[in-house]
Amino acid sequence: MIVFIVNCGSSSLKFQLFDMHEQKALATGLADRIGIEPSAFRFEPEGKDTIKLELPIPDHASAFSLAVQYLTDPTHGVISSINEIDAVGHRVVHGGNKFVESALIDESVIDAIKSFIPLGPLHNPANLTGIQEATKLMPNTPQVACFDTAFHQSMPEYAYVYPIPYELYEEYKIRKYGFHGTSHRFITAKAIEMLGNPAHSKIVTCHLGNGSSCAAVLDGKSMDTTMGLTPLEGLAMGTRSGSIDPAIVKFLHDNANMSIDEIDSMLNKKSGALGISGFSNDFRDIESAANEGNERARLALDIFFYRVRLSIGSYAAALGGLDAIVFTAGIGENSSTGREAILKGLEFLGVSIDAQKNLIRGEAIDISMPDASCRVLVIPTNEELMIAQDTEEIVLAAKK
């Protein structure tokens, strides 16, 4: 089966084409800065030269057409016709409390995604655009929605209900939903396999990148996660503040004459590592500056590492112990110094890492010392493959 994976952001469209027989990507691509000149397009077909373009991409419809154009291009493409695509899988950020797993897209699913726009105002409209464009170009091709929130719908009520008037949950569905679910699910399955497929397991998964979240996973099911109603809650991140005293919002409104929209923008786009360092949200740049003596860069790293460590410790308490800690995503997979800093002080949980193994990159590896009772795993995430696998499984089941 050939599966086309589409991930529409507010101003971008990422895509991959998978051959599920061999479980590999035939091509990947990105249309970036959609509606902003100059827009950029990148196409990477397997075994062929990468295409990089700067050209006007006025909207997502144009981006989608451009992706299909290059996938089927006689010289650069990897398929001869769009008809070779058997299914389309979409990343959808917010599925509310309705979807506990991926779903075959029909009108009821589209209506549900629309109903959750107030919970995902930046992402769900873009995700719907991807579905609409695929429907226009491939009206008879089945499509599947894979929800970022789905994996975390196994959380118990006491973990997801906020201690505010219960009527607000009933009327407006204000609760913790969690995100990065596709990544957490992928690395959880791989971690359980690396642990020897035990019947019971207590794992903390750490998806650490520009956006970051941790999850407490019991026997393969999410029991809690750091992100909440929105991706703003939880850890300090690249540009997001993470959890802060909510009274800060009123304080800034009253004393700094900031509007609610200005405060919201600040907390989402100008805080976190960028806000503390003052110059970047790229942790590679910040780490380099910290090593050269930049104190604010060092503080940004210390805050980030400290809050991840706190989450691991609190989730170990929530799970009643810990069998493994898993690191993934840009920082989690690639920063050996970051992992070392986060784990420092967690020896009481049975953590002990091998300094040489900790330097290895690009593969799934257990970096623990042989006698460590809590294993530390580094697992490269592959959300697109997870979406492709879900899409194939659901489409084949629907045909039976």
Side-chain angles (χ1 to χ4, degrees):
M1 180 179 286
I2 302 297
V3 178
F4 184 32
I5 303 303
V6 178
N7 180 358
C8 278
S10 57
S11 62
S12 67
L13 188 154
K14 298 178 184 177
F15 63 93
Q16 289 198 28
L17 192 71
F18 276 92
D19 178 348
M20 297 309 295
H21 178 69
E22 298 187 23
Q23 298 275 302
K24 72 173 184 179
L26 300 176
T28 65
L30 169 65
D32 201 13
R33 294 174 56 85
I34 295 173
I36 306 168
E37 292 192 15
S39 302
F41 182 77
R42 181 184 180 93
F43 181 65
E44 300 180 50
E46 184 191 30
K48 298 181 181 180
D49 292 338
T50 296
I51 306 296
K52 297 180 183 179
L53 304 171
E54 283 194 358
L55 74 172
I57 308 177
D59 49 37
H60 283 81
S62 303
F64 203 99
S65 296
L66 198 59
V68 170
Q69 174 188 329
Y70 273 88
L71 285 170
T72 58
D73 184 86
T75 302
H76 306 290
V78 293
I79 53 175
S80 58
S81 166
I82 196 173
N83 295 326
E84 292 182 37
I85 296 174
D86 299 299
V88 183
H90 297 268
R91 176 181 180 244
V92 179
V93 168
H94 220 304
N97 58 354
K98 182 176 178 64
F99 297 99
V100 299
E101 58 187 5
S102 301
L104 189 69
I105 294 175
D106 57 19
E107 284 303 317
S108 67
V109 172
I110 291 173
D111 288 342
I113 295 171
K114 290 178 180 177
S115 74
F116 294 122
I117 286 176
L119 297 173
L122 294 178
H123 296 93
N124 276 33
N127 301 153
L128 283 167
T129 298
I131 294 169
Q132 292 162 357
E133 292 307 316
T135 302
K136 288 178 186 176
L137 291 177
M138 297 173 277
N140 300 315
T141 302
Q143 301 183 66
V144 170
C146 300
F147 299 92
D148 262 12
T149 50
F151 180 63
H152 301 300
Q153 296 313 298
S154 53
M155 288 187 292
E157 191 174 29
Y158 60 77
Y160 68 71
V161 172
Y162 289 117
I164 57 177
Y166 192 76
E167 293 77 17
L168 295 173
Y169 164 59
E170 292 179 306
E171 184 172 354
Y172 299 105
K173 305 303 179 188
I174 296 175
R175 51 157 284 182
K176 176 181 282 193
Y177 290 99
F179 299 90
H180 295 144
T182 307
S183 177
H184 284 292
R185 181 159 68 100
F186 180 87
I187 63 173
T188 291
K190 183 65 176 178
I192 291 173
E193 179 186 317
M194 291 173 68
L195 292 173
N197 294 306
H200 302 287
S201 57
K202 300 171 180 178
I203 301 171
V204 173
T205 52
C206 305
H207 177 108
L208 308 179
N210 190 50
S212 297
S213 64
C214 294
V217 186
L218 180 66
D219 299 339
K221 295 183 180 297
S222 176
M223 294 290 105
D224 203 351
T225 187
T226 52
M227 285 181 168
L229 173 72
T230 75
L232 182 58
E233 185 182 355
L235 306 174
M237 306 177 215
T239 64
R240 298 184 188 125
S241 66
S243 296
I244 61 170
D245 181 345
I248 291 173
V249 175
K250 186 176 188 304
F251 182 91
L252 291 174
H253 180 268
D254 292 346
N255 294 279
N257 297 316
M258 295 178 69
S259 69
I260 295 300
D261 286 343
E262 287 172 332
I263 296 169
D264 181 70
S265 178
M266 179 199 74
L267 295 177
N268 276 287
K269 300 177 181 179
K270 302 174 184 177
S271 298
L274 173 61
I276 297 299
S277 71
F279 67 89
S280 180
N281 65 310
D282 190 315
F283 282 82
R284 293 167 296 186
D285 296 339
I286 295 171
E287 188 169 341
S288 176
N291 291 336
E292 294 174 0
N294 186 311
E295 291 301 322
R296 283 178 57 180
R298 172 52 54 194
L299 179 60
L301 294 176
D302 288 345
I303 290 171
F304 178 77
F305 299 147
Y306 175 69
R307 292 193 167 203
V308 177
R309 190 183 314 123
L310 282 183
S311 295
I312 294 172
S314 65
Y315 284 166
L319 293 169
L322 210 51
D323 297 312
I325 300 167
V326 186
F327 290 97
T328 197
I331 301 167
E333 293 173 30
N334 298 308
S335 177
S336 59
T337 56
R339 292 191 295 267
E340 184 179 357
I342 289 166
L343 296 170
K344 187 176 181 181
L346 296 181
E347 292 81 7
F348 73 99
L349 291 176
V351 172
S352 179
I353 62 172
D354 183 313
Q356 292 304 310
K357 287 182 179 178
N358 188 37
L359 297 175
I360 296 173
R361 294 172 60 173
E363 62 182 83
I365 186 172
D366 183 339
I367 64 172
S368 310
M369 295 295 286
D371 59 348
S373 60
C374 176
R375 312 309 295 175
V376 177
L377 311 176
V378 181
I379 301 176
T381 192
N382 195 332
E383 296 171 86
E384 290 78 12
L385 177 59
M386 185 96 264
I387 294 171
Q389 290 171 340
D390 276 9
T391 300
E392 179 185 37
E393 181 180 342
I394 289 170
V395 169
L396 289 176
K399 290 180 178 180
K400 290 183 180 179

